[in-house]
Amino acid sequence: KAGVTQTPRYLIKTRGQQVTLSCSPISGHRSVSWYQQTPGQGLQFLFEYFSETQRNKGNFPGRFSGRQFSNSRSEMNVSTLELGDSALYLCASSDYYEQYFGPGTRLTVT
Amino acid sequence: TQLLEQSPQFLSIQEGENLTVYCNSSSVFSSLQWYRQEPGEGPVLLVTVVTGGEVKKLKRLTFQFGDARKDSSLHITAAQPGDTGLYLCAGEGSGYALNFGKGTSLLVTP
């Protein structure tokens, strides 16, 4: 089976802009979770989707949003980017409680 | 939030040495997962431990889940440069999120 894919791998944006990141889960997996990883805070949970419904949300401002499509692919959006949003954004797909991560999207906000 | 504390934070050893990293919490987890992450990549699942007192082996890596299911350890025998990476433990949080420790950064030099 192909693994989790994320696009793009690298992204540079300017403060105030918005960005959309994409994730394709492992075939057959219906749950997709998103995490933000920074050196200071480590991996922090953003949100989780299952069958196009958000089941859980982490403690992030409303500028962070996501959605899931009928084919289980997911996108996350960050609006009004801030310097502190610079991070590695990781997507994970799951068929039960084990999560399998993609390579991440490295977002740099200047 | 169920916090996971990992120690040590950094570890630098020479090839052939043994090491142990720890993952501790005041909360009980139904399962704990260990991941290894290399720079610029997503975490790769190594093992899931479910039963208190459980010991799992993966080649030179030995994982143990505490009897009370509040802590876990990872022991590497005869470390090799290929073991270099960030080792993360994770347990289930609220809903379907994973709570991660901040990780142990391991460097194995030839």
Side-chain angles (χ1 to χ4, degrees):
Chain A
K1 276 188 182 178
V4 178
T5 58
Q6 291 188 247
T7 57
R9 289 293 310 274
Y10 304 92
L11 206 49
I12 300 175
K13 289 287 189 178
T14 304
R15 268 184 308 175
Q17 289 185 316
Q18 75 167 23
V19 67
T20 299
L21 312 181
S22 181
C23 170
S24 293
I26 293 171
S27 177
H29 287 190
R30 295 164 66 186
S31 169
V32 174
S33 299
W34 288 89
Y35 294 82
Q36 180 195 66
Q37 186 176 28
T38 59
Q41 298 299 317
L43 269 130
Q44 294 185 287
F45 172 75
L46 281 158
F47 27 68
E48 187 258 354
Y49 288 86
F50 181 87
S51 293
E52 302 179 67
T53 300
Q54 185 181 90
R55 293 198 296 190
N56 199 12
K57 188 177 190 303
N59 189 26
F60 278 81
R63 300 185 296 107
F64 291 81
S65 63
R67 60 178 175 168
Q68 187 180 34
F69 302 95
S70 59
N71 61 359
S72 294
R73 191 177 68 85
S74 177
E75 289 181 346
M76 69 162 282
N77 184 275
V78 188
S79 62
T80 318
L81 284 165
E82 300 176 0
L83 294 178
D85 296 333
S86 293
L88 182 66
Y89 289 88
L90 293 159
C91 165
S93 78
S94 171
D95 60 354
Y96 185 46
Y97 56 77
E98 292 183 341
Q99 297 194 7
Y100 299 88
F101 285 83
T105 294
R106 169 72 62 187
L107 173 64
T108 302
V109 182
T110 62
Chain B
T1 302
Q2 297 167 294
L3 294 176
L4 287 163
E5 301 284 341
Q6 288 190 245
S7 62
Q9 189 176 358
F10 300 100
L11 197 51
S12 180
I13 62 172
Q14 290 194 314
E15 184 175 2
E17 292 185 25
N18 302 331
L19 66 116
T20 302
V21 299
Y22 300 93
C23 174
N24 296 296
S25 175
S26 57
S27 303
V28 175
F29 289 94
S30 59
S31 67
L32 275 178
Q33 299 172 23
W34 284 93
Y35 293 83
R36 181 171 69 213
Q37 184 178 25
E38 298 187 16
E41 298 295 329
V44 175
L45 179 64
L46 296 174
V47 77
T48 300
V49 286
V50 178
T51 306
E54 180 178 8
V55 176
K56 280 191 173 179
K57 292 193 175 184
L58 185 66
K59 297 182 180 178
R60 295 175 292 99
L61 278 61
T62 302
F63 304 85
Q64 187 161 7
F65 200 13
D67 291 340
R69 291 185 288 126
K70 291 183 178 182
D71 56 87
S72 182
S73 64
L74 157 61
H75 182 80
I76 300 178
T77 302
Q80 298 177 0
D83 296 326
T84 293
L86 179 67
Y87 289 82
L88 296 156
C89 67
E92 79 279 6
S94 62
Y96 301 91
L98 280 179
N99 284 336
F100 281 84
K102 294 203 173 173
T104 293
S105 182
L106 172 65
L107 174 63
V108 183
T109 53

